[in-house]
């Protein structure tokens, strides 16, 4: 029973991180290969605060998320200001993720590559569920706000959006900051659930898992990526698949989704009663809406 | 004298690795110039090229020249398969670049981890080839570096001639201007893209063999190709001379940073160079101004 609860807790945490990337990739249309680094920053900041300074858990997690946001702005301002194409940006943020890992591995206070053990466990299933609910509510409000609408406009057609007077730089930067905040919260929760963190947890593999969740869950959906993130945690646990096969399957899945159903599990839709009712008479517009 | 010796050695090493970067960067640029997206799966094609070459050398005991030819063929065919399976359906639907990138990312993850699962994470080293060294002005220069530089130069010159003189090369240049119009004027886009991906893959095969001989063969060696991508971006992605210049610049600069500053900082330095350069020149040194198509 404890094991099942643990898997569910991890699913909730991964769901929060997926929400963040959904804002950036699914709604703003930007590609990131380094969001795990923001999780890492959140995790380390929160863990160090509770571990060394005895800061209350909630404040530590929020501080970690804010730290991730600030760092995301540090990398986001120069790269987004330069109006980098989204693929240049993707590679720049990947290099940034590498740099974060190298720094975490070489700092004294993070105890290098060996990792930071002995973090108090504050995260459990109710806490993770509550956090997921709050973050989902925040994400929904963000998307429904005028900032969210601007982000969607940028995703659909950056040129037209700019002509309408939308500031591309500010919109993308805001999305990046918001998504880094979500990743930071997920990192902080993760650190206080696993009680041990290590720089290697926040590398490419984690970034690609998040991308896989967002793409499979559906571009332009919040509930889809959360669902997909949970499925990607739960199914390998059930099947006890080796980590490597999991990545092989994720890769294949990304191609298959792009080729056959770019909308993903529930692209441009949210999990709701209406969506479930409409499931039977789904039109083809979705799959051709490239 | 010692100063000059170190300088010369650093320069030649930089030029040699720069030549290999250029070989890889050409692959990114060719594909980009036509399909307008960054082919993140190019890295695994290079990695598998290195594996093909390695197995040709060890299993069939082929000489390195034949093994390289085999690696070129293998990697070329792999690149064609990649295009046909992962990009062609998107192309026919004229999907946005984001979808191409995700698909490329998927192909990269799939192939890299497939190697992990089947071959394992072992490091393999090629049989010893080009072991000797030349002595120029008292500086010892590895034979491998010289060979790599020469082969890269020949391959890239050959490609430039092909693109400028051959009928197919002209068709490729036409398609890079406007794929739709080229198609309407009677160029078979499907075949043309197979040729483009084959060339990119064949160059990846050569680069893979050189990387394998110089360093080792292992599943994550595709990481090095990120720097080739940086080289392509620095030179102006989509431009062939740009890819060569970017590759050479990056190789030489990295080599000097490694010698005179610090080896650990080398990679961080490359990424910073990329960001700084793009802030000043968003389309790279020789790139055309790029608006992302929607």
């Amino acid at each position: 029973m404890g094991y099942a609860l643990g898997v569910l807790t991890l699913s909730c945490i991964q769901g929060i991180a997926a929400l963040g990337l959904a804002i950036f990739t699914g709604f703003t249309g930007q590609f990131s290969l380094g969001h795990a680094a923001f999780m890492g920053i959140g995790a380390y900041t929160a863990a160090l605060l509770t571990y060394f300074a005895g800061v209350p858990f909630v404040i530590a997690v929020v501080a970690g998320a804010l730290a991730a946001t600030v760092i995301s702005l540090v990398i986001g301002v120069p790269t987004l200001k330069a109006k980098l194409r989204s693929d240049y940006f993707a590679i720049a943020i990947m290099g940034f993720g590498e740099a974060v890992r190298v720094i975490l591995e070489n700092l004294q206070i993070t105890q290098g590559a060996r990792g930071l053990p002995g973090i108090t466990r504050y995260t459990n299933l109710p806490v993770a569920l509550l956090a997921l609910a709050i973050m989902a509510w925040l994400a929904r409000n963000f998307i429904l706000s005028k900032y969210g609408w601007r982000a969607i406009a940028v995703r659909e057609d950056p040129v037209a959006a700019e002509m309408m007077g939308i500031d591309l730089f500010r919109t993308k930067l805001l999305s990046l900051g918001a998504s880094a905040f979500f990743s930071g919260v997920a990192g902080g929760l993760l650190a206080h659930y696993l009680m041990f963190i290590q720089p290697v947890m926040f590398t490419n593999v984690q970034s690609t898992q998040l991308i896989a969740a967002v793409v499979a869950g559906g571009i332009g959906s919040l509930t889809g990526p959360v669902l997909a993130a949970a499925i990607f945690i739960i199914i390998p646990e059930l099947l006890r698949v080796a980590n490597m096969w999991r990545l092989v399957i994720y890769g294949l899945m990304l191609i298959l989704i792009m080729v056959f159903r770019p909308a993903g599990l529930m692209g441009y839709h949210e999990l709701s009663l209406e969506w479930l009712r409409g499931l039977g008479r789904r039109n083809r517009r979705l799959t051709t809406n490239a | 004298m010692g100063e000059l010796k170190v300088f010369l050695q650093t320069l030649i090493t930089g030029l040699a690795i720069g030549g290999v970067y250029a070989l890889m960067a050409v692959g990114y640029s060719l594909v980009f110039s036509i399909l307008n997206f960054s082919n993140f799966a190019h890295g695994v094609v290079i990695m598998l090229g290195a594996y093909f070459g390695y197995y040709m050398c060890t299993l069939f005991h082929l000489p390195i020249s034949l093994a390289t030819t085999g690696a070129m063929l293998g990697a070329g065919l792999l690149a064609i398969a990649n295009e046909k399976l992962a990009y062609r359906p998107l192309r026919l639907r004229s999907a946005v670049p984001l979808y191409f990138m995700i698909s490329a990312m998927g192909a990269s993850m799939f192939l890299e981890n497939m190697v992990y699962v089947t071959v394992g994470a072992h490091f393999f080293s090629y049989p010893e080839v080009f072991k000797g060294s030349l002595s120029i002005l008292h500086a010892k220069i590895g034979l491998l570096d010289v060979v790599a530089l020469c082969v890269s130069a020949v391959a890239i010159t050959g490609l430039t001639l092909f693109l400028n003189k051959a009928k197919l090369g002209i068709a490729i240049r036409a398609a890079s201007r406007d794929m739709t119009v080229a198609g309407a004027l009677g160029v078979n886009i499907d075949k043309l893209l197979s040729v483009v991906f084959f060339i990119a893959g064949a160059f990846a095969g050569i680069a893979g063999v050189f990387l394998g001989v110089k360093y080792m063969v292992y599943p994550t060696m595709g990481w090095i190709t990120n720097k080739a991508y940086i080289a392509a971006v620095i030179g102006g992605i989509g431009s062939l001379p740009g890819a060569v210049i970017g590759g050479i610049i990056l190789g030489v600069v990295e080599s000097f940073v490694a010698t005179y500053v610090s080896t650990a900082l080398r990679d961080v330095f490359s990424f910073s160079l990329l960001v700084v350069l793009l802030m000043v020149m968003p389309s790279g040194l020789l790139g055309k101004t790029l608006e992302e198509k929607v």
Side-chain angles (χ1 to χ4, degrees), chain A residues 86-88 94 98 245 258, chain B residues 38 90 93 117 226 237 292:
Chain A
S86 53
D87 30 5
Y88 292 6
M94 178 164 155
E98 254 324 273
W245 275 112
M258 282 300 113
Chain B
S38 303
L90 303 186
R93 221 173 45 216
V117 175
N226 282 328
I237 198 161
E292 236 166 315

Side-chain angles (χ1 to χ4, degrees), chain A residues 50-64:
Chain A
T50 57
Y51 189 72
F52 287 111
V55 174
F57 170 59
V58 175
I59 298 176
V61 169
V62 172

Side-chain angles (χ1 to χ4, degrees), chain B residues 4-239:
Chain B
L4 179 71
K5 197 173 112 181
V6 173
F7 180 84
L8 205 64
Q9 251 166 264
T10 313
L11 184 69
I12 301 277
T13 317
L15 283 176
I17 189 74
V20 179
Y21 281 164
L23 280 180
M24 302 191 269
V26 162
Y28 280 111
S29 265
L30 264 180
V31 170
F32 187 96
S33 71
I34 297 186
L35 289 180
N36 198 36
F37 82 103
S38 303
N39 181 14
F40 288 129
H42 194 55
V44 284
V45 175
I46 293 166
M47 180 261 290
L48 283 164
Y51 274 93
F52 291 148
Y54 169 76
Y55 283 119
M56 301 267 177
C57 274
T58 50
L59 289 185
F60 304 115
H61 303 288
L62 292 178
I64 190 77
S65 53
L66 280 181
T68 311
T69 318
M72 286 170 71
L73 251 166
L77 293 177
L78 183 72
I80 294 181
N82 182 15
E83 199 275 326
K84 290 273 176 263
L85 299 176
Y87 305 145
R88 188 170 177 273
L90 303 186
R91 185 154 60 70
L92 296 181
R93 221 173 45 216
S94 44
V96 292
L98 178 69
Y99 288 4
F100 279 94
M101 269 191 279
I102 294 172
S103 200
M105 190 67 213
S108 162
M109 269 163 84
F110 173 70
L111 289 173
E112 184 178 316
N113 290 292
M114 208 59 189
V115 172
Y116 260 118
V117 175
T118 50
V119 185
H122 314 288
F123 283 61
F124 295 113
S125 54
Y126 270 74
E128 295 197 345
V129 278
F130 307 128
K131 249 306 168 215
S133 60
L134 303 174
S135 183
I136 304 172
L137 292 173
H138 302 286
K140 257 178 80 179
I141 287 150
L143 191 58
L144 175 66
D145 285 350
V146 178
V147 173
L149 193 56
C150 294
V151 171
S152 306
V154 169
I156 290 170
T157 316
L159 178 65
T160 316
L161 281 176
F162 169 74
L163 287 179
N164 283 320
K165 305 283 181 213
K167 209 173 161 192
L168 199 53
I170 294 170
I172 291 176
R173 284 193 295 140
S176 78
R177 280 292 174 85
D178 194 323
M179 196 167 76
T180 325
V181 172
L185 290 175
V187 175
N188 185 335
I189 296 292
D190 266 343
K191 269 190 193 155
L192 180 119
L193 277 171
S194 295
V195 173
V196 166
F197 272 84
F198 184 80
I199 296 173
F203 275 50
I206 309 178
V209 170
F210 276 126
L211 287 177
V213 174
K214 196 168 170 69
Y215 306 111
M216 279 197 155
V217 186
Y218 52 97
T220 47
M221 67 186 287
W223 170 250
I224 304 170
T225 58
N226 282 328
K227 287 197 277 185
Y229 178 72
I230 293 178
V233 174
I234 287 177
I237 198 161
S239 144

